[in-house]
Amino acid sequence: MSMRHRRPHTALIVAALCLVTTLTGCSDSGGGTPSSSTPPASASAPASASPSSSESGKGEVKVTIKDFAFHPATFEVSPGTKITVTNEDSATHTLTADDQSFDTGNLAQGKSATITAPSKPGSYSYICSIHPNMKGTLTVR
Ligand SMILES: [Cu+2]
């Protein structure tokens, strides 16, 4: 009697073991995430969110104004990037968005100001409000 009871019981255990083995085997053969999750040791600093090589130029961007021109005049940043603008001309300049979404204000010689790129992706043309022939384009994406 007890033998009869045991058989289905054993079968059940075997079935359960098979299931576990299958699951384990599945995740093993998945090949992905070989303990790629953040080790607890370095969990303190979330500074470098993306160390991937594909995303470059993150962080701060610098623009220099020289010889009545922006250097670089056309550039691309991530939303909210800090942009430091330095005027190396003897004349006073500004870096002002056409739509006023960013503006350094007047920068005398040797002065710099930090503006923040818009959070909305798009193409923002800007000028020097004192010398409107000075033009540039900031692309946010
Ligand atoms: Cu100017």
Side-chain angles (χ1 to χ4, degrees), residues 65 68 70 89 91-94 127-134:
I65 303 174
F68 287 79
F70 300 102
D89 265 351
T92 297
H93 294 296
T94 77
I127 58 168
C128 169
S129 63
I130 301 168
H131 314 100
N133 58 312
M134 292 171 60

